[in-house]
Amino acid sequence: MTSAAHSPVSNPGWKAWLIWSVGVAAYVLAITNRTSLGAVGVDAADRFMADASTLALFAVVQLAVYGGMQIPIGILLDRYGSRPIMTVGMLLMAVGQLTMALSPSIGIAIVARILLGAGDAAVFPAVLRLVATWFPAQRGPVMVQFTGIIGQAGQLVALVPLAALLHATSWTITFGSIAGLGVLFTVLVAVVIRNRPPERTVDVSVNTDTGVVRVVTSAIDTGVGIRAAWAHPGTRLAFWSHFTTPFAGTAFILLWGMPFLTAAQGLDTAHAAGIISVYVVAGMALGPVIGELSRRWPNRRSFALVLPAVVLQLVAWTTVIALPGSSPVWLLYVLAVALATGGPASMIAFDHARTHNPSHRLSTATGVTNAGGFIAALIAIFLIGLMLDLQGAGTPETYSLEAFRIAFLMPIPLWLLGMTFILIERKRTRIRVGLDPERRR
């Protein structure tokens, strides 16, 4: 990789802002697609006559495809740029939602979730690449932060308007409408997005710590890059940080939150949607705060931010499932805020990956890191569904608070496993970079 001496653009004009705005709007739609099933989980179970394990399989397959596509998407972005990859991603999601709208069986619905996961995987990395190519390096961290925060509004779109449309019309009309939006954005992305400013002939990536701009190439050997990235304890610390922090919130918002709040806790749909909305808004508000603290405390991120976020989630989660009877509503709001810390805290994992890997394997390390949270989420989602089924409470008619109490024990070992490896890899990383003395054998 070769270096450039200046930032991609010194002062972004209206075209840069237009391209970024379309990219962010597409990301909002991608998040809406991602969380659409969670907002109507009970309706999906009724439509497909699916038990809890099968319903969980929808989300597990989608997350598995999303996580598995991270590194291939990075390589394709290196080679072809944001515009074609993002266009294909939006089209795949549109086809996926149309398939979901018309699906007569569980098998076809699972194919739809596969298409959604593959399309969704392309959007966020492509938008981040647009930030790197159209905006000055010094604006990179702020633009990335705003991209993530605005994108999360897609969860609110899935939560309120989508559910209201479904209950006012039908399954086919609702998911067909999202598919129509996907087609519209496919065209919009193809027409508006450009890989790079016209004055530049190559794409670049930006090191957001130093502001150094580098020409992007795709000559890296993926297998060698993955092995080299994983060999560094800083990458493993990043992986386990991302594994441990966001998965419970993902499982809650993507599938099990609405059934738990309505069928188990006895809330009406509007009140349950309000609690999940607090989760989304709290995550958006906490992002800049945790990001700034991470910048100020680069050597204390794990102890000061990551582990406290995990402990807060663990305490709130176990308190809710341990209380006899339904939880007070205020405690459910506390749970929503506690789970919301996981998303911003998981971004610290990418700080670790960036800090401890050279630029030529940064995208590989980022892909490995990003896979962590989705692996944990798909395990949690599947185990919760399996445990509900084993108790004979696998359908909306049989959901109960007692069954959810047992099923919601499943994330606890994942938190404990993750915290253990965070402590282990943090120590190894500090030894590797010379902050702690090497252990005596």
Side-chain angles (χ1 to χ4, degrees):
M1 302 175 81
T2 58
S3 298
H6 53 80
S7 111
V9 278
S10 58
N11 187 25
W14 66 268
K15 191 171 184 179
W17 287 105
L18 175 63
I19 288 172
W20 177 77
S21 298
V22 171
V24 169
Y27 180 48
V28 171
L29 181 58
I31 295 291
T32 301
N33 284 320
R34 183 189 306 174
T35 55
S36 58
L37 192 64
V40 295
V42 174
D43 301 89
D46 288 336
R47 175 178 174 84
F48 297 109
M49 294 180 291
D51 57 22
S53 296
T54 304
L55 195 61
L57 186 61
F58 288 156
V60 166
V61 167
Q62 181 182 344
L63 288 176
V65 173
Y66 182 100
M69 288 293 291
Q70 289 304 299
I71 293 175
I73 287 294
I75 295 172
L76 290 171
L77 282 169
D78 282 348
R79 183 165 184 177
Y80 298 108
S82 294
R83 182 189 182 192
I85 303 306
M86 204 169 171
T87 301
V88 171
M90 298 307 297
L91 182 60
L92 283 174
M93 285 189 287
V95 173
Q97 290 292 36
L98 182 60
T99 304
M100 180 63 78
L102 303 175
S103 58
S105 65
I106 290 173
I108 301 299
I110 288 176
V111 172
R113 303 312 287 183
I114 291 173
L115 292 171
L116 281 174
D120 184 15
V123 178
F124 187 59
V127 178
L128 295 189
R129 187 184 186 87
L130 293 174
V131 170
T133 53
W134 282 93
F135 289 86
Q138 64 269 23
R139 291 196 188 183
V142 175
M143 296 300 297
V144 168
Q145 194 174 87
F146 275 124
T147 300
I149 290 172
I150 296 171
Q152 296 313 305
Q155 297 183 58
L156 296 177
V157 176
L159 188 62
V160 181
L162 180 66
L165 180 61
L166 176 62
H167 296 145
T169 58
S170 67
W171 180 277
T172 301
I173 291 175
T174 300
F175 283 89
S177 299
I178 307 176
L181 278 176
V183 172
L184 172 64
F185 270 89
T186 300
V187 175
L188 199 59
V189 165
V191 171
V192 176
I193 300 294
R194 292 294 181 269
N195 285 349
R196 65 186 76 89
E199 64 270 15
R200 242 193 16 251
T201 58
V202 292
D203 285 333
V204 298
S205 63
V206 179
N207 183 322
T208 54
D209 280 340
T210 64
V212 172
V213 181
R214 298 181 182 277
V215 176
V216 173
T217 67
S218 55
I220 184 172
D221 181 283
T222 304
V224 172
I226 293 173
R227 289 192 296 272
W230 186 255
H232 197 294
T235 304
R236 300 196 297 271
L237 174 61
F239 174 88
W240 287 109
S241 297
H242 201 267
F243 180 98
T244 313
T245 44
F247 76 87
T250 301
F252 197 79
I253 195 74
L254 203 60
L255 191 60
W256 293 122
M258 287 296 283
F260 172 71
L261 294 172
T262 54
Q265 292 290 338
L267 301 179
D268 58 48
T269 302
H271 211 151
I275 290 174
I276 294 181
S277 297
V278 167
Y279 164 87
V280 177
V281 173
M284 295 168 70
L286 289 169
V289 177
I290 292 179
E292 178 62 19
L293 292 176
S294 175
R295 186 188 67 81
R296 293 188 180 189
W297 303 335
N299 296 325
R300 290 181 287 168
R301 292 166 177 160
S302 297
F303 275 165
L305 298 172
V306 174
L307 290 175
V310 175
V311 171
L312 180 61
Q313 293 179 70
L314 179 58
V315 170
W317 188 277
T318 53
T319 301
V320 167
I321 64 175
L323 284 179
S326 299
S327 300
V329 174
W330 66 264
L331 183 58
L332 297 176
Y333 279 104
V334 170
L335 174 64
V337 174
L339 293 177
T341 64
S346 72
M347 294 297 102
I348 296 171
F350 298 108
D351 292 336
H352 288 312
R354 185 176 66 245
T355 300
H356 300 295
N357 283 276
S359 58
H360 68 269
R361 67 165 185 252
L362 181 56
S363 60
T364 303
T366 299
V368 170
T369 300
N370 203 25
F374 292 99
I375 291 172
L378 67 87
I379 293 172
I381 288 171
F382 179 74
L383 289 180
I384 289 171
L386 179 62
M387 189 56 62
L388 287 171
D389 277 345
L390 291 176
Q391 298 175 84
T395 62
E397 295 77 20
T398 56
Y399 288 157
S400 68
L401 180 56
E402 292 307 315
F404 267 102
R405 285 191 206 283
I406 302 300
F408 273 18
L409 292 173
M410 295 300 100
I412 294 176
L414 297 177
W415 273 316
L416 298 178
L417 175 70
M419 285 192 290
T420 299
F421 276 101
I422 287 172
L423 292 172
I424 291 172
E425 299 300 346
R426 178 183 184 274
K427 184 66 176 177
R428 289 174 175 171
T429 301
R430 289 179 65 85
I431 292 172
R432 177 73 171 264
V433 300
L435 293 175
D436 287 348
E438 191 161 358
R439 294 168 177 160
R440 294 181 180 179
R441 297 187 180 277

